[in-house]
Amino acid sequence: MKDLYVDDLAEETGKLFEFWALNHMDVDQMATQYMNSNLRENADKRYAKFCTQSWDDMARQFEDVKGTEDYDFVLCNWLGMFYTYLQRQTGKSSKELIRQFPFATMYIKSNVLHDLDLELAIKKVGAV
């Protein structure tokens, strides 16, 4: 069955991660908090109410964690999209994925992976 929400959810998640990077948040902690949240759990189940939220609506649901590291907002955006498509491809929960593929590790790898097609990047990390 076609996943009607995955593209919108991926785009908004990417914008959310980008927003955190641009606002000097600890994107590692923020992304981990997001991937473990009830919001993301319900989005994983593709409940429309949670999949159709804009990034700024999602951002208001999380307490800001200021960081000291400067994150590349392009890579953070890509990672938000990557995790969403990875979740769709594997069927694993976002909680499982963030444990298996921690943000800090994936951020380093994203320097190379973000130049690939997303499906190929997913295959490269051995998720499928």
Side-chain angles (χ1 to χ4, degrees):
M1 180 161 71
K2 183 171 167 82
D3 187 339
L4 301 175
Y5 298 112
V6 71
D7 294 328
D8 289 337
L9 181 60
E11 183 177 339
E12 295 302 321
T13 303
K15 288 178 184 177
L16 178 64
F17 285 22
E18 177 180 333
F19 169 77
W20 287 332
L22 289 170
N23 286 279
H24 308 289
M25 300 295 156
D26 184 330
V27 185
D28 181 23
Q29 285 190 6
M30 297 298 293
T32 302
Q33 176 180 280
Y34 167 75
M35 295 291 283
N36 281 299
S37 70
N38 287 331
L39 166 67
R40 188 57 194 223
E41 181 178 348
N42 286 310
D44 287 354
K45 295 174 184 173
R46 296 303 188 260
Y47 294 148
K49 175 183 175 181
F50 301 94
C51 291
T52 58
Q53 289 186 25
S54 65
W55 66 267
D56 53 331
D57 287 336
M58 287 190 266
R60 284 191 280 277
Q61 298 176 51
F62 297 95
E63 188 172 324
D64 292 343
V65 178
K66 289 289 186 184
T68 56
E69 182 177 341
D70 284 330
Y71 290 92
D72 182 318
F73 71 92
V74 173
L75 296 181
C76 290
N77 182 303
W78 184 87
L79 276 167
M81 293 178 23
F82 173 82
Y83 280 120
T84 301
Y85 287 114
L86 180 64
Q87 191 279 322
R88 180 199 63 192
Q89 289 285 342
T90 63
K92 293 180 180 180
S93 73
S94 291
K95 288 178 183 181
E96 291 175 88
L97 292 177
I98 200 69
R99 277 193 302 275
Q100 186 176 359
F101 303 101
F103 181 87
T105 301
M106 293 310 298
Y107 181 75
I108 293 167
K109 291 181 179 186
S110 70
N111 225 359
V112 173
L113 292 172
H114 87 282
D115 286 332
L116 303 174
D117 175 75
L118 272 168
E119 287 186 34
L120 180 56
I122 290 168
K123 288 178 183 175
K124 287 276 186 194
V125 297
V128 178

